Amino acid sequence: MARDTLTGSRIRERRVMAGMKQSDLARFAGISPSYLNLIEHNRRRIGGKLLVAISHVLKVEPSLLTQGAEATLIATLREAAQDRGRGEDGSAGPPPPETALLEEFAGRFPGWAWLLADSQRRMDALERTVESLTDRMTHDPHLAASLHEMLSTVTAIRSTAAILAEPGEIEPEWRDRFHRNLNEDSRRLADSSQALVRYLETVDDVSADLGSPQEEVDAFLDSHGWNFATLEEGGSIDDVLKDSDLGPVSLYLLEQVLSRYAEDAAALPMGRLIDALNEVGPDPLALSLRVRVDPARVMRRLAALPASAGAGWFGLAACDASGTLIFRKALKDFPLPRYGAACALWPLFTALSRPNVVLTQELEQTGRDPAHFRAYAVAQPVGTPQLNRDPMLVAHMLLVPQEAADVADDPLRVGVSCRICPRTECEGRREPSILAESF
């Protein structure tokens, strides 16, 4: 129903809120109750003097009766209604929500509409938190080491306390030593617990005290928009790093990324790439043939586009032959796991078995509101060729968002990683998901 035909629903909602009978409002407005009833059920349009008269009686501005519910409210309700018709395995589910009536529902029952929208936002936030925490708890070596340290300290405290609790006298020298050990272990446990809590609290704050060198590198790149004008103009890496306060390991990793960035910028200047992009579109193979640069380099340059040329439009993931992600530029609707164990269905990993072949695939990222992407992937050798030795391979996958209407009927359904993927039927599943009802 069009937004401008819902004025009657808002008149009825305001009249009910004011505790006024339909006959009373009709009398004050100078119309019959039956005509007002047609208006309130959106069967008669209203405007002009009659609208002003009714708004005066209801003591509201006319614009409050003619304007629809806020676009964000409608968008949130529509998002909540997505993917509710059938089960994840294709079985029949509950009847799908009547999305065609969302506008009317929000107009007639704004309180309930805002309540549902707020619940949707809360569920989205909780789901993102669960995904992030699960990702860390499953794959974060820093977290695993911290938990191991805490368990070891608890065991030491328990052993010392058991000795002190045993019957019989203990020599003063040994008793003092045990007490000293208890005090030191307790302090260490308290410090470890506080550090662990602070670390977990940074799950949504990449600018906080990050837990791994790779996270620090990702945060540094993100803070610069994945684009470095200094290197684009032929400047030095030292100029980029002069204001950074990264640790030695993070600095080593970042220098590798920036060195490759400088080489890419020299081989394919940004202006040349943008001109080719406007001519042939975002297909990295077509761009590669157009600018005579290898596809992987084209993908990295697309991920480094400045804000003025559409930064944030392209996502990029890279992995080595072990499958470990060594570069991650995530998109809002296509998150990338921090510590590996990504979805085995990604074309990124398929490319490793077909070196120098550019693969493309339409993807649907599973979730409450499935997002669609066109993925391009290629694996290329790195390093110096050697006799009788297979080359090392690094694969790149470029992600280009797509509108649902432009996607084929049967896109490849993928997730982030098994642990946080709701799909129940998948040949690539390695472990149960915490988001699946069966789990």
Side-chain angles (χ1 to χ4, degrees), residues 229-307:
T230 300
L231 299 182
E232 297 287 350
E233 298 169 359
S236 68
I237 295 176
D238 292 338
D239 292 336
V240 176
L241 298 176
K242 63 182 179 181
D243 296 327
S244 67
D245 55 352
L246 303 178
V249 177
S250 302
L251 196 60
Y252 172 81
L253 296 176
L254 183 58
E255 286 177 345
Q256 288 185 315
V257 173
L258 295 180
S259 295
R260 186 177 59 192
Y261 187 106
E263 294 174 1
D264 292 343
L268 180 55
M270 190 59 69
R272 184 181 170 199
L273 173 66
I274 294 175
D275 291 341
L277 181 63
N278 294 331
E279 291 180 11
V280 302
D283 184 338
L285 180 57
L287 287 169
S288 174
L289 297 175
R290 177 68 175 78
V291 299
R292 300 183 182 277
V293 173
D294 66 82
R297 175 161 284 168
V298 170
M299 293 181 184
R300 292 194 297 268
R301 295 299 284 156
L302 287 174
L305 282 172

Side-chain angles (χ1 to χ4, degrees), residues 34-55:
S34 59
Y35 188 72
L36 178 59
N37 184 64
L38 292 175
I39 291 175
E40 289 189 348
H41 285 83
N42 302 302
R43 296 177 182 174
R44 292 291 185 276
R45 293 183 178 273
I46 179 176
K49 295 181 179 180
L50 180 56
L51 176 63
V52 174
I54 290 179
S55 64

Side-chain angles (χ1 to χ4, degrees), residues 41-331:
H41 285 83
N42 302 302
R43 296 177 182 174
R44 292 291 185 276
R45 293 183 178 273
I46 179 176
K49 295 181 179 180
L50 180 56
L51 176 63
V52 174
I54 290 179
S55 64
H56 179 72
V57 175
L58 295 176
K59 298 180 180 180
V60 297
E61 292 291 332
S63 59
L64 293 178
L65 300 177
T66 57
Q67 293 176 357
E70 292 186 11
T72 54
L73 173 61
I74 299 299
T76 305
L77 291 176
R78 195 174 301 280
E79 180 182 349
Q82 294 291 332
D83 200 23
R84 287 292 193 270
R86 302 188 66 83
E88 195 60 45
D89 57 356
S91 61
E98 296 81 359
T99 55
L101 301 177
L102 277 179
E103 183 75 19
E104 182 175 7
F105 171 73
R108 295 187 62 183
F109 308 104
W112 280 106
W114 280 110
L115 178 61
L116 289 175
D118 184 64
S119 299
Q120 171 73 16
R121 285 188 287 267
R122 289 173 179 268
M123 286 190 294
D124 288 343
L126 288 174
E127 185 171 303
R128 287 193 297 269
T129 300
V130 169
E131 290 177 356
S132 301
L133 287 175
T134 301
D135 188 28
R136 287 192 171 193
M137 295 182 71
T138 306
H139 307 294
D140 187 351
H142 175 85
L143 180 59
S146 299
L147 292 175
H148 179 74
E149 172 67 19
M150 290 181 62
L151 291 175
S152 299
T153 305
V154 170
T155 302
I157 292 175
R158 179 70 181 85
S159 300
T160 304
I163 294 174
L164 291 174
E166 290 179 355
E169 292 292 331
I170 301 178
E171 294 183 5
E173 180 181 353
W174 281 101
R175 185 175 62 251
D176 293 343
R177 180 177 299 178
F178 289 143
H179 285 159
R180 185 168 58 254
N181 289 343
L182 274 177
N183 180 62
E184 293 175 355
D185 290 340
S186 299
R187 287 178 178 272
R188 187 165 65 253
L189 179 61
D191 293 340
S192 299
S193 302
Q194 292 175 0
L196 182 60
V197 169
R198 287 195 301 270
Y199 176 62
L200 292 176
E201 287 177 344
T202 66
V203 73
D204 289 322
D205 184 8
V206 297
S207 65
D209 184 19
L210 300 172
S212 71
Q214 188 60 56
E215 282 185 286
E216 291 184 347
V217 172
D218 292 344
F220 182 88
L221 296 173
D222 187 66
S223 66
H224 287 77
W226 306 85
N227 177 271
F228 297 90
T230 300
L231 299 182
E232 297 287 350
E233 298 169 359
S236 68
I237 295 176
D238 292 338
D239 292 336
V240 176
L241 298 176
K242 63 182 179 181
D243 296 327
S244 67
D245 55 352
L246 303 178
V249 177
S250 302
L251 196 60
Y252 172 81
L253 296 176
L254 183 58
E255 286 177 345
Q256 288 185 315
V257 173
L258 295 180
S259 295
R260 186 177 59 192
Y261 187 106
E263 294 174 1
D264 292 343
L268 180 55
M270 190 59 69
R272 184 181 170 199
L273 173 66
I274 294 175
D275 291 341
L277 181 63
N278 294 331
E279 291 180 11
V280 302
D283 184 338
L285 180 57
L287 287 169
S288 174
L289 297 175
R290 177 68 175 78
V291 299
R292 300 183 182 277
V293 173
D294 66 82
R297 175 161 284 168
V298 170
M299 293 181 184
R300 292 194 297 268
R301 295 299 284 156
L302 287 174
L305 282 172
S308 59
W313 179 253
F314 298 101
L316 182 66
C319 74
D320 57 20
S322 71
T324 301
L325 296 183
I326 57 177
F327 187 89
R328 298 182 299 269
K329 183 190 176 186
L331 296 176

Side-chain angles (χ1 to χ4, degrees), residues 376-399:
Y376 300 90
V378 64
Q380 296 179 180
V382 296
T384 304
Q386 300 183 39
L387 290 174
N388 300 321
R389 182 173 296 181
D390 293 333
M392 291 288 293
L393 295 175
V394 170
H396 290 75
M397 180 175 70
L398 184 74
L399 297 168

